[in-house]
Amino acid sequence: DADVTQTPRNRITKTGKRIMLECSQTKGHDRMYWYRQDPGLGLRLIYYSFDVKDINKGEISDGYSVSRQAQAKFSLSLESAIPNQTALYFCATSGGTLSGANVLTFGAGSRLTVL
Amino acid sequence: GQNIDQPTEMTATEGAIVQINCTYQTSGFNGLFWYQQHAGEAPTFLSYNVLDGLEEKGRFSSFLSRSKGYSYLLLKELQMKDSASYLCAVRDSNYQLIWGAGTKLIIKP
């Protein structure tokens, strides 16, 4: 089984619909992240969480919300999807100290298309 | 603003050597990362540099010059499986990762 699992892997939806992307991990890491990737752009951070009671906005949090249900679970919601939220979404985890290498382990990605 | 620059695309021949450059302008510096991403897949960690100099790991090496805001990833003895995008990322003074758009490397036989 993958260390970081994302569901669904692919989703097509319509404008205005609510969408939830789920992420679970077996790494035992405290830190979890949601990124989006668009062609020609670098990965952009949406939200991150350093433990169950900690939620922080990233660079592009508008239009998104998250929930950290447990150490191992971090879900991303689009309350009312719009076409420019069409992208590849990655969940990632990291452990260790903040100043160490703190390498990210990514899930396989969730491709979302909003029509 | 913060910026990471790397070439959009590079082409190299199987068995050859290729160098992928990354220049950065960030608010502070707390390490530079290289990740590999095959098409449609997740990025995977390749290397981490926090001090100036060369870090070697098998066929891959990464170099850092903090005074120049510059890094490169060197891939030797290229194999077809090295065809992928290579992402450069810098951790800034707030320990946030700033990502480049990636360099797509095409390997030809």
Side-chain angles (χ1 to χ4, degrees), chain B residues 14-41:
Chain B
E14 190 177 16
I17 298 173
V18 70
Q19 177 175 311
I20 302 174
N21 295 325
C22 171
T23 57
Y24 62 89
Q25 293 174 307
T26 56
S27 302
F29 178 85
N30 282 296
L32 184 144
F33 299 79
W34 285 96
Y35 282 77
Q36 180 189 59
Q37 185 178 23
H38 286 99
E41 298 183 9

Side-chain angles (χ1 to χ4, degrees), chain B residues 4-71:
Chain B
I4 309 287
D5 285 319
Q6 46 181 137
T8 302
E9 187 174 296
M10 300 181 70
T11 302
T13 303
E14 190 177 16
I17 298 173
V18 70
Q19 177 175 311
I20 302 174
N21 295 325
C22 171
T23 57
Y24 62 89
Q25 293 174 307
T26 56
S27 302
F29 178 85
N30 282 296
L32 184 144
F33 299 79
W34 285 96
Y35 282 77
Q36 180 189 59
Q37 185 178 23
H38 286 99
E41 298 183 9
T44 56
F45 171 74
L46 284 179
S47 68
Y48 169 67
N49 295 69
V50 66
L51 299 176
D52 291 350
L54 189 68
E55 294 282 342
E56 297 186 83
K57 193 184 292 185
R59 294 188 299 114
F60 292 9
S61 303
S62 57
F63 172 83
L64 174 67
S65 169
R66 288 172 296 170
S67 63
K68 296 182 179 179
Y70 168 70
S71 173

Side-chain angles (χ1 to χ4, degrees), chain A residues 35 37 40 42-43 45 48 98-104 106-107, chain B residues 33 35 37 41-43 45 48 87 91 95-97 99-101:
Chain A
Y35 285 93
Q37 188 175 43
L43 287 163
L45 184 62
Y48 62 103
L98 192 60
S99 59
N102 208 14
V103 171
L104 293 174
F106 287 86
Chain B
F33 299 79
Y35 282 77
Q37 185 178 23
E41 298 183 9
F45 171 74
Y48 169 67
L87 314 181
R91 192 162 58 194
Y95 291 91
Q96 297 297 323
L97 276 177
W99 294 83

Side-chain angles (χ1 to χ4, degrees), chain A residues 33-91:
Chain A
Y33 310 79
W34 275 104
Y35 285 93
R36 68 176 276 176
Q37 188 175 43
D38 298 274
L41 298 177
L43 287 163
R44 291 183 291 169
L45 184 62
I46 306 171
Y47 271 96
Y48 62 103
S49 168
F50 282 0
D51 65 41
V52 174
K53 297 181 181 179
D54 177 72
I55 300 290
N56 303 281
K57 292 183 177 181
E59 179 187 354
I60 54 163
S61 59
D62 287 350
Y64 302 95
S65 62
V66 290
S67 174
R68 185 80 184 266
Q69 300 96 323
Q71 187 209 33
K73 296 182 182 296
F74 192 38
S75 60
L76 176 72
S77 293
L78 288 68
E79 297 302 323
S80 179
I82 56 177
N84 76 1
Q85 291 178 313
T86 293
L88 182 58
Y89 290 85
F90 285 105
C91 175

